[in-house]
Amino acid sequence: MSIKIEMLRCFRTVADHGSLAEAATALGRTPSAVSMMLKQFEDHIGAPLFETARKSRLTPLGELVQIEANRELAHFDRTIAAIEGLSRAELGHIRLAVTPSVAQAVMPPILQAYMKSHPGVRIDMSDSDSASVQRELAAERADIGLASLPPMPGFDRHLVFTDAFGLVCRADDPLTREWSTLGWADLAGANFIANGLCQHIQDADFAPILASSMLMVHNTTSILSLVRAGVGVTVLPELTVLPEFSDLAFLPLINSTARREVWMLTQPEKMLPPAARVLARTIRQANISVDHR
């Protein structure tokens, strides 16, 4: 017969209480059942653990076994608590890959609420362009991805929100005064900063503007810094230019219905760790407002 965790727990309880009767009450078992399990434990070891039948004093071997039993039971109890915590989404580790605009405008209130209700869950969030988010998902380095993502085999895909594209320039750019009467052709002389999201704009008049660009930048923060410095203008979704960016202007596109679509991709729900599953549901149910102008 092998030593079972129940034997260790029975022995420790008897040693702590100093009597079979009190240990039986603590364990919710009969004294005879406790006595039988303790005897099985001692028979397996081949030596007594208590000096007398009253179980009030441990033998020298019993004292050593008590130390080891306490250590093993503490480890076992921690393991069980961790497993139960993981299954109830109380513990865990979630890897998020999102675009910068999602990180700065969408995720803060969602994560604030989630972390308040799940304080034991550790979250690792990286922000990069949509292509990088797709690579992180494909390489299984992210549990949840939010970006302009195409369908990917083996992943669930949910549309989180859409926002309109617009011209982004300095707030003091002359275009801000004339934009309502201008169109794509009027950008022909401007230094246009291309970015990965430009591919989503299918307007025929925009194609020459994009083709003539001599500067391609993928990071949104870098793009906005270049616009601030007067290097050029660009086209970005509305959410990338927050209201507090007072030195920048977001000008809605004229005669264009182009919108960015932000999708959430995850492993099928049954394959997600419980903590990630709950966060994914929270994101799906969030009321995300992007029309801040």
Side-chain angles (χ1 to χ4, degrees):
M1 178 185 295
S2 60
I3 296 177
K4 298 181 175 62
I5 199 72
E6 292 86 354
M7 290 180 177
L8 295 181
R9 201 175 297 281
C10 176
F11 164 70
R12 183 182 68 176
T13 307
V14 173
D16 289 346
H17 287 81
S19 77
L20 289 174
E22 291 183 18
T25 300
L27 292 169
R29 308 187 69 173
T30 64
S32 60
V34 172
S35 178
M36 182 179 296
M37 182 167 288
L38 191 59
K39 184 178 185 307
Q40 290 174 344
F41 188 30
E42 289 180 322
D43 287 347
H44 181 85
I45 293 174
L49 298 172
F50 294 90
E51 290 187 353
T52 66
R54 296 181 59 189
K55 313 302 182 187
S56 58
R57 291 186 61 182
L58 290 165
T59 63
L61 174 62
E63 293 176 352
L64 296 175
V65 172
Q66 184 184 36
I67 294 171
E68 296 302 322
N70 285 337
R71 182 182 295 118
E72 180 58 30
L73 287 168
H75 174 72
F76 178 80
D77 290 341
R78 286 195 301 271
T79 301
I80 294 301
I83 292 172
E84 292 177 344
L86 290 169
S87 68
R88 293 192 296 261
E90 295 171 353
L91 301 172
H93 175 209
I94 304 173
R95 301 164 303 169
L96 282 172
V98 303
T99 59
S101 60
V102 171
Q104 65 187 1
V106 173
M107 295 310 300
I110 292 175
L111 291 181
Q112 182 182 36
Y114 182 87
M115 294 175 69
K116 184 177 181 180
S117 59
H118 299 79
V121 176
R122 185 164 64 90
I123 298 174
D124 181 1
M125 183 172 73
S126 62
D127 61 314
S128 53
D129 60 21
S130 294
S132 297
V133 172
Q134 185 175 353
R135 287 193 294 270
E136 291 296 291
L137 287 167
E140 299 184 355
R141 290 190 294 264
D143 302 302
I144 299 173
L146 284 91
S148 296
L149 297 167
M152 294 175 61
F155 287 85
D156 288 344
R157 186 169 178 252
H158 173 79
L159 181 62
V160 179
F161 68 87
T162 70
D163 57 343
F165 281 95
L167 183 76
V168 180
C169 61
R170 286 167 53 110
D172 58 0
D173 193 300
L175 288 170
T176 61
R177 298 189 297 270
E178 305 172 2
W179 185 247
S180 61
T181 62
L182 301 179
W184 287 123
D186 296 287
L187 293 179
N191 290 325
F192 187 80
I193 304 171
N195 62 77
L197 289 171
C198 290
Q199 63 180 315
H200 297 287
I201 302 175
Q202 303 300 318
D203 300 353
D205 293 338
F206 176 65
I209 304 298
L210 183 59
S212 65
S213 174
M214 302 302 292
L215 178 61
M216 165 67 83
V217 182
H218 294 278
N219 181 271
T220 303
T221 301
S222 299
I223 295 170
L224 297 179
S225 295
L226 291 169
V227 173
R228 285 190 175 96
V231 174
V233 300
T234 192
V235 170
L236 286 170
E238 182 176 6
L239 198 64
T240 61
V241 186
L242 298 179
E244 55 265 33
F245 295 172
S246 58
D247 56 341
L248 296 175
F250 176 88
L251 308 177
L253 296 179
I254 307 301
N255 298 323
S256 176
T257 59
R259 297 183 71 87
R260 170 182 64 163
E261 295 181 342
V262 172
W263 295 82
M264 177 173 68
L265 265 67
T266 68
Q267 295 265 337
E269 184 166 305
K270 65 181 181 181
M271 301 296 293
L272 281 176
R277 188 184 310 151
V278 174
L279 180 57
R281 289 175 183 169
T282 302
I283 295 171
R284 284 196 297 269
Q285 296 167 1
N287 182 19
I288 299 172
S289 176
V290 298
D291 296 320
H292 52 242
R293 288 175 176 79

